Amino acid sequence: MMLREINFDGIVGPSHNYAGLSPGNLAATRNAGKASRPRAAALQGIAKMRANIALGLTQGILLPHPRPDHRWLSDLTTSYDAAPLHLKAQALSASAMWAANAATVSPAPDTADGRCHLTVANLVTMPHRSHEWRWTLAQLRQAFADPAFVVHSPVPAPFGDEGAANHMRLCDGHGSAGVEIFVYGVAGGPFPARQHREASEAVARAHGLDPARTLFVRQSDAAIAAGAFHNDVVAVANEQVLFTHEHAFADREGFHADLRRLLPSVEIVEVPASAVSLADAVSSYLFNAQLVSTPEGMALILPGEVSAAVPVRRWLEALVAGNGPIRRLTIVDVRESMANGGGPACLRLRVVADPTTVDPRFLVDDARLDVISALVERHWPDTIDPDAIADPALIAEIEAATTALYAALGVDP
């Protein structure tokens, strides 16, 4: 098998709106009540996928969930028409666009049975996300039906699991055995800690990981308080490189020592707080970048917001001018998704696998993205005003758009 990293990006759904449903996600709460632009958001995400393909990366997709989630409302003994406004907003949420929260993935070289394991995230901490897992699980079981994969049901409540956004893997190459790092938080600060250690440990056991090469690392309280609601807002890893903020982890020295012991080739690229504050790192989504391997070396795929943050821009310019492992910066415009609290890394789930074992309906090239773009142009709402979510005409438009996409791609909802 030829293992390579595949980035599965979530297509931004037609119900993308700014309801401010996620405490601790500073961008999402700051933009609550503003008009959203679902069509522009989806097209920006597609443009980012094209940029990945241009870098020579293998690109996959995950589809938006049918919205509103009538099944969830039925479980609450109500309907969309009858539900109070806050339940309408939670049932309509397009937050499944954040594919980094879809699942935790352990590639075959790390697992006891030599298969790639995926555990769908339960997302129980936030009501608007807690009902995503059924739809995500259905897609994962279609995309990864080959015997090379094992797709697990979610960790049971009350232990919160938010998927790959709190998981990193370091290795000498994507196809070699790695060190898997599960980052968890502890409650008690101004914002909820969404990843519980118990959930991370359950996922590691289900995936058959070697305990000697598995780390459970606590996120710093300062990072959570600054708005790092997921680890991928303050750290990202790729192959042997960890790109991280100085204040990302509660026990920085101990974590770094463990990494150097388990993977002597590790290169830790740390941004000091004296150069970039936690506040600047979070607001610019510096670390919510895709750190990827290209023939020319490692590249960071960054949101355009890093250019506007002067300390961040200066540090990045110095980074690529040096002789470190990160050689290239690629800036993408994902402004509409950034306004809802997620950057380039939030939009994608990384799966190391042989592409021939993945259902081809979930892999894309430029021609397939042309088909998806045309559907978005034709069916996605241009704007959604916050007071429009009770409008039956808007709901009908959203439902028709999702149905058209699933039908065109031949995927079962």
Side-chain angles (χ1 to χ4, degrees):
M1 295 175 67
M2 181 64 69
L3 300 183
R4 62 185 306 171
E5 183 178 84
I6 310 170
N7 290 281
F8 288 83
D9 276 45
I11 298 172
V12 180
S15 68
H16 169 65
N17 71 96
Y18 302 143
L21 299 173
S22 189
N25 184 328
L26 302 184
T29 53
R30 183 174 61 248
N31 289 297
K34 295 182 180 178
S36 66
R37 300 197 301 155
R39 187 183 306 155
L43 293 174
Q44 287 173 0
I46 292 167
K48 180 177 84 76
M49 293 187 231
R50 292 190 192 278
N52 287 355
I53 292 170
L55 287 172
L57 305 177
T58 304
Q59 184 65 51
I61 53 170
L62 293 175
L63 277 59
H65 296 176
R67 289 291 180 263
D69 191 339
H70 295 293
R71 175 178 175 178
W72 182 66
L73 291 171
S74 178
D75 289 343
L76 292 170
T77 325
T78 189
S79 65
Y80 195 80
D81 290 343
L85 193 60
H86 73 283
L87 286 185
K88 281 185 168 70
Q90 290 166 359
L92 196 64
S93 170
S95 54
M97 62 195 276
W98 313 130
N101 301 126
T104 302
V105 184
S106 294
D110 298 354
T111 67
D113 64 2
R115 295 190 287 174
C116 179
H117 286 248
L118 302 94
T119 295
V120 66
N122 63 30
L123 299 167
V124 296
T125 305
M126 299 293 165
H128 70 290
R129 305 210 65 180
S130 64
H131 51 102
E132 286 179 20
W133 69 265
R134 289 187 180 92
W135 301 102
T136 302
L137 183 61
Q139 283 195 53
L140 295 181
R141 284 181 170 163
Q142 291 179 72
F144 306 109
D146 189 276
F149 301 95
V150 182
V151 179
H152 299 273
S153 297
V155 173
F159 304 113
D161 175 28
E162 306 239 334
N166 294 305
H167 174 263
M168 300 183 291
R169 179 177 186 257
L170 287 159
C171 54
D172 285 317
H174 290 308
S176 60
V179 177
E180 299 210 12
I181 303 146
F182 294 80
V183 182
Y184 65 93
V186 175
F191 300 127
R194 302 187 186 184
Q195 186 72 32
H196 294 173
R197 178 168 180 147
E198 295 88 344
S200 297
E201 290 173 340
V203 171
R205 289 192 296 268
H207 291 193
L209 300 182
D210 180 355
R213 296 184 65 79
T214 306
L215 297 176
F216 299 94
V217 179
R218 178 175 169 178
Q219 188 176 21
S220 76
D221 294 341
I224 297 173
F229 52 99
H230 293 134
N231 173 68
D232 66 3
V233 180
V234 285
V236 62
N238 179 58
E239 295 192 301
Q240 77 277 16
V241 175
L242 172 66
F243 180 49
T244 179
H245 192 273
E246 178 185 1
H247 293 160
F249 305 105
D251 181 9
R252 165 183 171 273
E253 292 80 7
F255 174 42
H256 290 184
D258 284 340
L259 281 182
R260 293 187 172 105
R261 173 176 55 84
L262 293 173
L263 190 72
S265 62
V266 69
E267 296 185 68
I268 300 173
V269 180
E270 185 178 77
V271 181
S274 59
V276 176
S277 68
L278 267 175
D280 282 340
V282 171
S283 63
S284 67
Y285 274 45
L286 166 62
F287 296 97
N288 197 247
Q290 291 182 243
L291 181 57
V292 298
S293 301
T294 76
E296 292 76 35
M298 286 199 192
L300 274 173
I301 301 170
L302 296 148
E305 282 73 5
V306 298
S307 299
V310 174
V312 173
R313 185 179 71 246
R314 287 176 177 165
W315 197 90
L316 286 169
E317 289 169 351
L319 172 70
V320 293
N323 196 35
I326 300 173
R327 302 288 183 159
R328 177 173 177 175
L329 307 177
T330 298
I331 306 297
V332 295
D333 179 7
V334 287
R335 188 173 308 167
E336 296 300 322
S337 57
M338 284 284 288
N340 220 3
C346 283
L347 287 164
R348 68 91 175 91
L349 178 70
R350 310 164 83 166
V351 180
V352 171
D354 183 341
T356 65
T357 62
V358 177
D359 188 314
R361 294 175 296 174
F362 293 88
L363 297 176
V364 293
D365 54 16
D366 280 317
R368 195 161 170 81
L369 289 177
D370 288 343
V371 173
I372 297 170
S373 295
L375 276 162
V376 168
E377 292 275 15
R378 187 179 315 124
H379 292 288
W380 262 232
D382 180 35
T383 61
I384 295 179
D385 292 316
D387 58 356
I389 66 169
D391 182 357
L394 172 65
I395 301 308
E397 182 181 9
I398 289 168
E399 292 180 328
T402 308
T403 298
L405 179 64
Y406 274 77
L409 300 181
V411 175
D412 299 326

